Amino acid sequence: MNFLEEEIIKNGTIKPGNVLKVDSFLNHQINPQLVYEMAKEWQIRFKDKNINKILTIEASGIALATMLGYILGVPVLFAKKSKTSNLGNDVYKAEVKSYTHNTINNIYVSKSYLNENDHILIVDDFLANGCALLGLLSLCNDAKAKVEGIGIAIEKGFQEGGKKIRDLGYQVESLAIIDSMDSFNKKIKFR
Ligand code: 5GP
């Protein structure tokens, strides 16, 4: 069992609707030592890729992406979930269905920060059905930026997102892949 799987077993809780709650170390309170270990692991797994920017989506991806950006020495761009007035009109936009809130939201990045010269590593906290990733990939596609890979903290391998995104040809590196979780017995099985 790796360090993230151990943390999930120790501090994660299973909620109805196949939701894993990791508020004590990732989604609300953040464990920086753990995030550092995660970022170092992504650095190893993507060591052959030429990456000049990290892309994530607010909010929970930002801490992971920032740590990785610091280690790789590259900037971090996060897609915003609302189009604030200071974002301007020159934006790329994609639709994302929220897994946890069951709503459809637009996400935005400014055209100033994503373009055809970018070699992007996408990072996010969870991969479930793949909607968040498809949105981020669509932003990169619109900007003609090249996606070099995708780093995920926790993939719920029993949902379809991982297969969908890998079938598109992307290298997806998930640090913990859950094959099953049972809220009744409180059991989590990793791949
Ligand atoms: P997807 O778009 O792949 O269906 O879901 C990924 C997004 O939904 C992640 O960015 C994450 O915020 C949220 N999410 C999906 N499943 C879970 C879960 O089991 N627990 C938590 N905390 N967030 C999840």
Side-chain angles (χ1 to χ4, degrees):
M1 205 180 285
N2 71 31
F3 62 94
L4 180 56
E5 293 169 345
E6 276 172 16
E7 187 72 24
I8 292 167
I9 294 294
K10 210 164 112 200
N11 291 316
T13 49
I14 305 165
K15 297 284 166 195
N18 277 327
V19 170
L20 177 68
K21 201 164 177 230
V22 290
D23 277 11
S24 67
F25 61 93
L26 206 59
N27 284 153
H28 191 18
Q29 177 172 259
I30 292 169
N31 177 337
Q33 282 73 30
L34 187 87
V35 172
Y36 176 75
E37 292 305 318
M38 291 161 64
K40 292 293 282 181
E41 184 58 32
W42 283 317
Q43 181 188 31
I44 293 166
R45 295 193 192 192
F46 292 107
K47 66 178 186 322
D48 297 330
K49 302 284 188 176
N50 197 2
I51 292 151
N52 78 329
K53 196 169 286 181
I54 314 288
L55 174 66
T56 188
I57 181 168
E58 64 179 358
S60 295
I62 296 175
L64 305 173
T66 302
M67 188 70 84
L68 184 56
Y70 177 75
I71 289 172
L72 298 183
V74 300
V76 171
L77 178 65
F78 64 92
K80 298 196 176 204
K81 287 182 176 163
S82 59
K83 192 167 162 291
T84 50
S85 54
N86 55 7
L87 192 57
N89 285 324
D90 242 2
V91 293
Y92 295 112
K93 173 178 134 185
E95 252 186 20
V96 171
K97 182 167 185 278
S98 163
Y99 183 85
T100 37
H101 299 107
N102 210 16
T103 52
I104 293 186
N105 305 303
N106 289 321
I107 59 169
Y108 308 88
V109 294
S110 164
K111 290 185 179 174
S112 307
Y113 305 122
L114 192 62
N115 61 56
E116 71 273 13
N117 298 317
D118 283 323
H119 291 256
I120 298 291
L121 179 55
I122 294 177
V123 165
D124 203 8
D125 58 344
F126 273 90
L127 171 53
N129 293 324
C131 301
L133 282 184
L134 287 174
L136 293 171
L137 288 168
S138 159
L139 297 176
C140 291
N141 189 50
D142 289 351
K144 300 187 171 52
K146 181 161 195 283
V147 176
E148 298 286 351
I150 299 170
I152 296 292
I154 305 169
E155 175 177 339
K156 292 188 290 181
F158 54 88
Q159 290 173 312
E160 65 189 13
K163 181 174 179 340
K164 212 182 324 183
I165 305 292
R166 288 185 183 92
D167 283 352
L168 291 174
Y170 295 101
Q171 179 184 349
V172 181
E173 294 292 343
S174 303
L175 304 183
I177 303 181
I178 296 174
D179 261 342
S180 64
M181 55 186 205
D182 180 345
S183 58
F184 186 71
N185 295 313
K186 311 219 176 305
K187 278 252 179 305
I188 297 178
K189 266 205 205 118
F190 295 102
R191 189 166 298 173

